[in-house]
Amino acid sequence: MNMLRLIVTLILVCTGLPIFGERILRDNILKVEPGDFIVVSQNKSFTLLAFVAKEGPLLSIEEVSVPSNKVSSNINWGKWFLDGSKGNTCWIRYQLNVNSGQITNAFSLSQNCPITFSQENNLLAKLILLDFKKIPLAERKRAGPQPAQGIADRRPVWQPRLMMDGHQIDGVSFDGWRARWPHDSSDLSGKLVEVYLPSDQGYVSYFPYWLEVQGMLGSAKVRIVDSGKGLKR
């Protein structure tokens, strides 16, 4: 190992930053419990992911999408799901192998028939296979307007909102992570992805509460607008 590489390695070890990427989302999603759910907002639509069963690395997931103009701003997502997901445009159930990212046994509950549905079209299946590195605090974006030139920047690091069961949880710290999306046929191909996960693992931490892609417009931001536990029929 040359001297420069040795110095860089020692710096990373001393600061606690990973030398190599971590599949942190894959590791975290193995902690999911049946009844956990998240609601994701993207491109004027919501998608509810309900984790209905778990057997080792195999997760059974129900995914329901609905346009944002079809639901009220104060919607109770758990009740909406249990009452039949009124207004949904797509409702599917599939099995995700967390270790491989493979999706099997996909079934359309909307059309009551099996469907072909691969991980290439599933954000969660692709995210859990990315190698993330923690963003150093010095590189985190800050909350509030940037100070004038020559004035020290003492702004706190920016934190996403954490929502559980329709309520905002205050005072939650997040870690920022970065990864490079693989080169594929998607709009995300080769782009840098930033995600934010709660530092406290007691909260839902297997899907980012905020996801941002550098170099994109429109669909560049994804966020969790609600999450919870105990969602069972």
Side-chain angles (χ1 to χ4, degrees):
M1 179 182 292
N2 62 41
M3 184 58 67
L4 178 59
R5 186 175 178 185
L6 175 60
I7 292 172
V8 172
T9 300
L10 288 173
I11 291 173
L12 289 170
V13 170
C14 292
T15 56
L17 297 177
I19 301 174
F20 305 105
E22 301 179 49
R23 291 191 172 178
I24 185 169
L25 295 180
R26 185 194 64 181
D27 295 341
N28 286 354
I29 202 171
L30 288 171
K31 304 171 187 174
V32 71
E33 299 176 353
D36 287 359
F37 74 93
I38 57 176
V39 182
V40 181
S41 172
Q42 183 187 25
N43 289 342
K44 298 182 180 180
S45 68
F46 297 110
T47 299
L48 185 149
L49 299 176
F51 298 86
V52 296
K54 175 183 178 183
E55 185 176 347
L58 302 178
L59 300 180
S60 293
I61 302 172
E62 289 192 20
E63 180 176 314
V64 195
S65 297
V66 61
S68 57
N69 62 0
K70 296 292 185 181
V71 293
S72 65
S73 58
N74 61 346
I75 183 174
N76 181 319
W77 286 105
K79 186 175 186 303
W80 175 81
F81 176 76
L82 294 175
D83 288 347
S85 307
K86 183 179 179 180
N88 80 83
T89 54
C90 180
W91 190 347
I92 58 177
R93 178 170 179 158
Y94 54 87
Q95 190 174 73
L96 171 65
N97 186 318
V98 176
N99 290 336
S100 66
Q102 295 293 316
I103 290 177
T104 57
N105 301 329
F107 188 88
S108 171
L109 296 171
S110 302
Q111 302 174 8
N112 194 32
C113 65
I115 58 173
T116 301
F117 187 73
S118 73
Q119 66 272 19
E120 293 298 323
N121 301 315
N122 185 281
L123 181 61
L124 178 60
K126 297 295 287 288
L127 281 174
I128 62 175
L129 296 182
L130 293 185
D131 293 320
F132 286 93
K133 294 182 181 179
K134 187 176 285 188
I135 304 173
L137 281 177
E139 297 179 19
R140 289 275 299 271
K141 57 184 177 180
R142 302 282 164 168
Q146 187 172 353
Q149 187 174 2
I151 299 178
D153 190 347
R154 294 187 174 88
R155 295 175 298 165
V157 294
W158 176 82
Q159 307 280 8
R161 290 193 307 168
L162 192 150
M163 302 292 294
M164 287 197 71
D165 296 320
H167 301 287
Q168 181 172 332
I169 309 298
D170 296 323
V172 179
S173 296
F174 284 77
D175 292 322
W177 298 81
R178 285 187 187 133
R180 182 72 62 180
W181 195 269
H183 290 278
D184 55 19
S185 58
S186 73
D187 292 338
L188 301 178
S189 177
K191 290 183 170 56
L192 194 63
V193 179
E194 289 191 2
V195 302
Y196 291 84
L197 305 173
S199 303
D200 185 346
Q201 296 297 302
Y203 298 104
V204 173
S205 58
Y206 41 78
F207 193 94
Y209 274 85
W210 182 271
L211 181 152
E212 189 168 345
V213 182
Q214 295 186 10
M216 288 189 66
L217 297 174
S219 61
K221 295 179 178 65
V222 178
R223 62 191 175 98
I224 289 182
V225 296
D226 204 2
S227 61
K229 295 179 175 291
L231 185 62
K232 298 179 180 179
R233 293 189 180 90

